[in-house]
Amino acid sequence: MIEAAIFDMDGLLVDSEPIWQEVAIEIFETVGVNLTIEMCQEGTGLGTADFVKLFYERFPWEGKSQEQVGQEIIERGHERIATETLPMPGAHDTVRFFHERGIPLAVASASPMEIIETVLRRLDLVQYFTLWHSAVLETRSKPHPDVYWSTIEKLKVKGPHCVAFEDSGNGLRSAHAAGMLTVAVPAPYEYDQPKFDIADIKIPTLTHFNEDIFNNLVQKLPL
């Protein structure tokens, strides 16, 4: 049986990616770096520190440290997420699907803990989750598996008997490296990219998740 369902958050449970992109573009403008939405999409699934590092290495700037730029992105993003975000299609139904079957749920996100909590409360999902964990608390963020390893350990379950839901290539690599079953839910602009081929299941939105897909995942569990 599936022992736990672990969800990414940004772009999967909550439609926050456009907000993070807007905020990143605004903050990077203050150091003279002109990001585009397409450039922001390159860093989807990375933690804020790794996202900032990615573009600092490409466009070194002066006047603000990478840490300061990252903190400004987090603070402004948190303000907007707390008041503007909406759930992704199918998020509530998929969460309730596992909850109704008595399967523990967790969030493993690259966002800071306070933002995870803000989102779960805003979407009225917090009561369904056993725990949530942030890659900010790990030495390495996604695409490394650390945040999933810690989440599995906290849940006291075995990785190969868990399913992870991810919308980004970096997140999928993280869950896959942790040895979990994976469901990829890519954004339309990258749905057909080969980086999602490592997923056990790929669906366009969480609205496509159903009993048949669940049973397919169960059949993939190790003996």
Side-chain angles (χ1 to χ4, degrees):
M1 187 61 180
I2 291 176
E3 295 182 359
I6 306 178
F7 291 78
D8 177 49
M9 186 183 73
D10 292 294
L12 181 83
L13 293 177
V14 65
D15 190 16
S16 55
E17 291 296 348
I19 291 176
W20 286 119
Q21 292 165 4
E22 292 170 5
V23 168
I25 289 169
E26 292 170 7
I27 299 301
F28 271 86
E29 282 179 353
T30 69
V31 292
V33 177
N34 296 316
L35 294 186
T36 64
I37 290 176
E38 289 73 23
M39 292 165 69
C40 291
Q41 289 170 345
E42 294 178 37
T44 299
L46 294 177
T48 304
D50 288 336
F51 180 90
V52 172
K53 180 181 178 183
L54 173 68
F55 291 105
Y56 180 81
E57 291 176 347
R58 196 177 301 182
F59 310 107
W61 61 77
E62 297 179 354
K64 291 182 183 179
S65 67
Q66 294 181 59
E67 291 76 15
Q68 184 177 355
V69 170
Q71 189 59 34
E72 290 180 8
I73 290 172
I74 289 172
E75 290 176 357
R76 190 174 298 184
H78 194 180
E79 291 174 359
R80 295 188 187 176
I81 284 170
T83 58
E84 298 177 17
T85 50
L86 297 172
M88 293 294 285
H92 284 88
D93 288 342
T94 305
V95 166
R96 284 194 291 263
F97 180 96
F98 286 95
H99 180 74
E100 289 167 358
R101 285 158 179 77
I103 297 172
L105 291 104
V107 168
S109 171
S111 286
M113 289 291 280
E114 62 270 21
I115 295 181
I116 299 173
E117 292 169 6
T118 295
V119 167
L120 292 181
R121 295 186 189 285
R122 174 168 171 78
L123 302 186
D124 195 26
L125 288 174
V126 68
Q127 68 270 23
Y128 296 111
F129 285 87
T130 301
L131 62 87
W132 43 92
H133 184 57
S134 169
V136 173
L137 303 176
E138 301 290 341
T139 302
R140 304 179 301 177
S141 189
K142 298 176 183 182
H144 299 287
D146 303 35
V147 67
Y148 277 107
W149 282 340
S150 292
T151 303
I152 291 166
E153 183 179 3
K154 290 174 183 290
L155 288 170
K156 296 180 172 57
V157 294
K158 299 181 289 294
H161 290 262
C162 299
V163 57
F165 289 79
E166 279 282 356
D167 68 295
S168 73
N170 286 313
L172 179 61
R173 286 169 58 196
S174 175
H176 185 266
M180 305 174 67
L181 292 172
T182 53
V183 178
V185 193
Y189 73 88
E190 60 179 357
Y191 187 83
D192 293 323
Q193 291 189 11
K195 62 186 176 183
F196 295 105
D197 292 346
I198 61 173
D200 291 287
I201 301 288
K202 185 175 73 168
I203 53 178
T205 71
L206 287 175
T207 60
H208 291 77
F209 186 80
N210 56 31
E211 190 80 34
D212 288 340
I213 291 175
F214 176 77
N215 290 334
N216 190 331
L217 290 168
V218 170
Q219 292 174 6
K220 295 176 181 288
L221 290 170
L223 298 176

